[in-house]
Amino acid sequence: MTKKEFSFNDAVLRIEEILKNIESGEPDIDRLSSEVKQASELIRLCQKKLRTTEEEINSIFKEMS
Amino acid sequence: MTGKLSLTELQLIIRDSIYLALPDFYWVVAEISEIKVNYSGHCYLELIEKQDDDTNVKAKIKAVIWSNRYGFIKSFFENSAGESLREGFKVLVKARIEYHQLFGLSLVITDIDPAFTIGEMAAKRLQIIKKLEQEGVFGMNKELDLPLVPQRVAIISSRNAAGYSDFMNHLNDNSFGYIFYTALFNAVMQGNETEQSVISALDRIAANADLFDLVVIIRGGGSQSDLSWFDNYNIAYHVTQFPLPVITGIGHDRDMSVTDMVAGKSLKTPTAVADFIISCVSDTEEHILGISSEIKEIAQEIVEENRKRVDKSKNTLAPVTRIFISEVRNSLTEKIFVILNRGKEKSYKAGIILANLHSRMSSGARSSVTGKEKMIEGLRENLVSHTAELLKRNDHKLTAFSDTLVILNPENVLRRGYTITSMNGRILKSSDEVTGGDLINTDFINGSITSRVTGETDND
């Protein structure tokens, strides 16, 4: 079994899906806490990814200039 | 012998005769086949007229422009035509014929009309252009894309030309610090050898075309240079067919040669060519830098956009969840109310239903009782009527019976005068039953008697 590559886009889509679900009152209460937990975790990962991406971009352009 | 003449005397006679016979100035059309200026500033020429095949000479004469005229004629011609007088030019000269005992017959030129030469050159150039166009090659070198980074430059120039060293200095001292790889293909850039020399240089470069990005043809600038060497069909044709872009810097202020016209790019001076090459590289670098900063901007924008997206999600997650929970709670509460209300409602409704049922039942009962009553009444009536009828019928019967009975009642019979005769307790119904002597009993209404039979009587 290979670990699935973290996909920012998928993560954001998932977060938005969860939010949409919650906003529209879709999820059942049994799943709510696990979904909120998942969304928070994904947000954390996305932020991390953004930070590293930004750092990478900056260092790439620093190398270039 | 008095008729003897010295050579000088004869020559003088010739001179005078020519002078007398041809005293005027003549405008003469000719081609310059040789031209040189000596140390004292006199210009010596050889003028020819070619046959129609353009090769064989059919007329030839020496000519001279004395230095006192030459300075003026030369600069006027150069200013007008943009060319210095040279071999191959067709000229319209104003001249008189002079005969010199040492130098013989020659034309002394006092004026040259540059307009004629200009017209001739233009006509010749036009002819070359037309030919190249008819062959469909005129724009071919222009169709080649200039390389984005032209760093490998083949140079056709004269090693000693000022233009060449200007070009090299300019190119190598560029402020960007770009490095250029150049190779000089030495060529004669002026004079009769120009055509062959330039074409040979082009051929040598073409043989190694993959080593170069482009070719420059340069020579010293200024109006002193003769443009017309490059109004040359063969050079121009080679340029159009060249596999690499050709940039010319043949140096002329006023006009373009045919070679300039067919070149991929034409500039006035070698330094301008160097500037152009440098600018190609710097434009490309600038473009790349622009793109890279655009990429950086876009990348940062994307990061920023996604950050906002994530932040938004992050910021909304908690409230949305809270709202959701409170909504769920509210909806639960509502549901409880609904359930309670529904319970109440239901029991209330149940009450009503019960009441309804009750009333319905009682009214139903009532109606059913009434029905039953009616039925019973009917039945009763039927019964009554039937009974009555029955009774009546029976009554009739009974009456009939009773009538019969009345009739049959022995008492009544007796009353009516009939008697009942019996013997030994048995009613006698026939006279045969008795014989004389028998005692018979006769019952009357009011008593009975006993009698003895005495005789017999016949029955009727």
Side-chain angles (χ1 to χ4, degrees):
Chain A
M1 224 174 85
T2 51
K3 198 186 166 197
K4 206 184 157 197
E5 189 81 4
F6 173 73
S7 155
F8 181 87
N9 226 30
D10 290 349
V12 172
L13 286 177
R14 177 67 188 136
I15 294 165
E16 285 170 347
E17 187 192 28
I18 291 172
L19 275 176
K20 208 176 130 199
N21 280 350
I22 297 173
E23 275 171 332
S24 66
E26 284 290 318
D28 58 51
I29 280 290
D30 297 331
R31 288 204 335 255
L32 179 65
S33 93
S34 74
E35 288 202 348
V36 171
K37 201 173 152 194
Q38 191 193 2
S40 309
E41 178 62 12
L42 288 173
I43 286 171
R44 196 184 61 76
L45 288 172
C46 284
Q47 282 176 321
K48 194 176 147 200
K49 176 83 180 171
L50 280 174
R51 228 179 354 262
T52 54
T53 303
E54 198 178 34
E55 276 163 16
E56 275 169 25
I57 290 168
N58 283 337
S59 75
I60 289 165
F61 280 95
K62 211 171 276 173
E63 275 168 35
M64 275 174 60
S65 53
Chain B
M1 282 194 46
T2 54
K4 276 185 188 165
L5 293 171
S6 69
L7 192 57
T8 308
E9 283 167 339
L10 176 66
Q11 301 266 45
L12 286 172
I13 292 168
I14 295 171
R15 189 190 71 180
D16 291 346
S17 305
I18 287 170
Y19 181 75
L20 286 171
L22 303 160
D24 296 326
F25 286 92
Y26 300 92
W27 282 100
V28 184
V29 173
E31 184 180 321
I32 300 171
S33 64
E34 276 178 40
I35 179 166
K36 55 190 166 208
V37 181
N38 77 355
Y39 62 92
S40 52
H42 305 304
C43 177
Y44 295 94
L45 309 99
E46 186 181 71
L47 301 178
I48 55 167
E49 182 181 355
K50 281 180 179 166
Q51 282 181 346
D52 291 342
D53 63 7
D54 217 29
T55 46
N56 292 322
V57 175
K58 66 178 177 186
K60 180 159 84 177
I61 195 165
K62 286 184 287 179
V64 65
I65 310 170
W66 300 121
S67 63
N68 61 339
R69 291 294 297 160
Y70 181 63
F72 168 75
I73 289 172
K74 179 180 184 291
S75 65
F76 181 66
F77 186 89
E78 283 172 0
N79 286 336
S80 305
E83 295 281 335
S84 49
L85 288 162
R86 65 165 173 87
E87 291 94 337
F89 275 1
K90 276 197 171 172
V91 285
L92 177 60
V93 299
K94 187 184 179 191
R96 61 183 166 79
I97 293 90
E98 204 173 76
Y99 188 83
H100 190 273
Q101 54 273 28
L102 268 181
F103 307 116
L105 197 70
S106 66
L107 294 181
V108 175
I109 296 170
T110 57
D111 204 357
I112 295 178
D113 182 4
F116 177 82
T117 309
I118 292 167
E120 278 293 308
M121 286 195 301
K124 187 187 163 199
R125 182 188 302 175
L126 215 61
Q127 210 178 350
I128 294 169
I129 293 168
K130 219 176 196 174
K131 194 174 174 195
L132 292 167
E133 278 173 346
Q134 277 168 357
E135 288 166 349
V137 298
F138 189 87
M140 283 176 82
N141 196 256
K142 292 179 190 300
E143 284 165 17
L144 299 176
D145 288 329
L146 281 168
L148 290 175
V149 185
Q151 273 182 299
R152 304 172 304 160
V153 184
I155 304 163
I156 297 177
S157 189
S158 166
R159 187 175 286 112
N160 304 316
Y164 171 62
S165 54
D166 287 350
F167 175 81
M168 291 304 290
N169 291 337
H170 211 78
L171 198 64
N172 291 328
D173 294 346
N174 72 81
S175 57
F176 300 95
Y178 301 142
I179 291 167
F180 292 95
Y181 307 96
T182 57
L184 174 68
F185 292 81
N186 193 43
V188 177
M189 300 302 283
Q190 190 147 334
N192 288 326
E193 288 171 49
T194 307
E195 177 185 317
Q196 179 271 324
S197 178
V198 169
I199 289 171
S200 136
L202 282 170
D203 286 344
R204 275 180 286 149
I205 298 167
N208 295 294
D210 55 333
L211 297 178
F212 299 102
D213 298 319
L214 52 74
V215 178
V216 300
I217 301 175
I218 48 171
R219 58 176 200 173
S223 61
Q224 297 303 311
S225 344
D226 295 340
L227 192 64
S228 53
W229 295 112
F230 289 90
D231 275 335
N232 180 295
Y233 169 78
N234 288 324
I235 294 176
Y237 181 81
H238 272 75
V239 168
T240 65
Q241 298 303 298
F242 208 74
L244 296 171
V246 176
I247 303 179
T248 57
I250 320 185
H252 205 272
D253 291 341
R254 205 172 312 180
D255 218 342
M256 281 177 119
S257 71
V258 179
T259 304
D260 288 312
M261 291 176 194
V262 298
K265 178 95 190 163
S266 156
L267 294 151
K268 286 196 191 309
T269 61
T271 37
V273 175
D275 281 338
F276 175 75
I277 292 171
I278 294 163
S279 77
C280 283
V281 180
S282 72
D283 283 355
T284 303
E285 188 181 26
E286 205 173 295
H287 183 60
I288 289 168
L289 288 175
I291 288 172
S292 82
S293 77
E294 215 170 288
I295 290 170
K296 189 182 173 184
E297 251 168 56
I298 292 169
Q300 279 168 340
E301 248 168 57
I302 291 169
V303 168
E304 195 47 42
E305 219 169 83
N306 282 294
R307 191 199 304 286
K308 277 182 191 156
R309 210 169 149 198
V310 172
D311 282 352
K312 197 183 152 206
S313 295
K314 187 182 149 196
N315 292 336
T316 42
L317 182 63
V320 162
T321 310
R322 267 197 292 277
I323 287 168
F324 175 73
I325 289 170
S326 91
E327 268 173 9
V328 170
R329 189 177 290 139
N330 285 346
S331 102
L332 265 178
T333 314
E334 267 168 34
K335 271 180 193 147
I336 290 166
F337 273 119
V338 167
I339 289 164
L340 286 176
N341 284 340
R342 254 190 219 156
K344 269 184 208 157
E345 210 177 309
K346 265 194 185 151
S347 51
Y348 176 68
K349 273 188 185 157
I352 289 172
I353 288 166
L354 266 179
N356 278 347
L357 269 176
H358 186 255
S359 80
R360 272 171 62 199
M361 267 164 69
S362 55
S363 83
R366 257 202 303 277
S367 78
S368 98
V369 166
T370 315
K372 294 259 162 50
E373 274 176 346
K374 272 187 185 151
M375 195 185 81
I376 290 166
E377 179 62 22
L379 284 172
R380 197 183 62 83
E381 275 171 9
N382 279 349
L383 189 65
V384 167
S385 70
H386 285 124
T387 314
E389 205 181 324
L390 189 71
L391 283 175
K392 213 169 161 185
R393 230 175 22 238
N394 286 320
D395 196 33
H396 287 312
K397 238 184 229 172
L398 282 174
T399 310
F401 285 155
S402 124
D403 285 351
T404 312
L405 276 177
V406 168
I407 294 164
L408 292 178
N409 194 342
E411 214 169 301
N412 288 340
V413 175
L414 292 175
R415 204 170 277 141
R416 285 203 308 264
Y418 298 96
T419 57
I420 302 164
T421 309
S422 60
M423 191 172 68
N424 301 328
R426 196 171 55 97
I427 291 171
L428 296 172
K429 287 179 188 175
S430 168
S431 56
D432 295 339
E433 292 176 50
V434 287
T435 53
D438 289 343
L439 284 170
I440 57 169
N441 203 34
T442 305
D443 285 322
F444 293 91
I445 190 76
N446 51 359
S448 54
I449 60 168
T450 308
S451 331
R452 182 112 26 179
V453 179
T454 60
E456 270 173 83
T457 41
D458 290 330
N459 284 338
D460 308 338

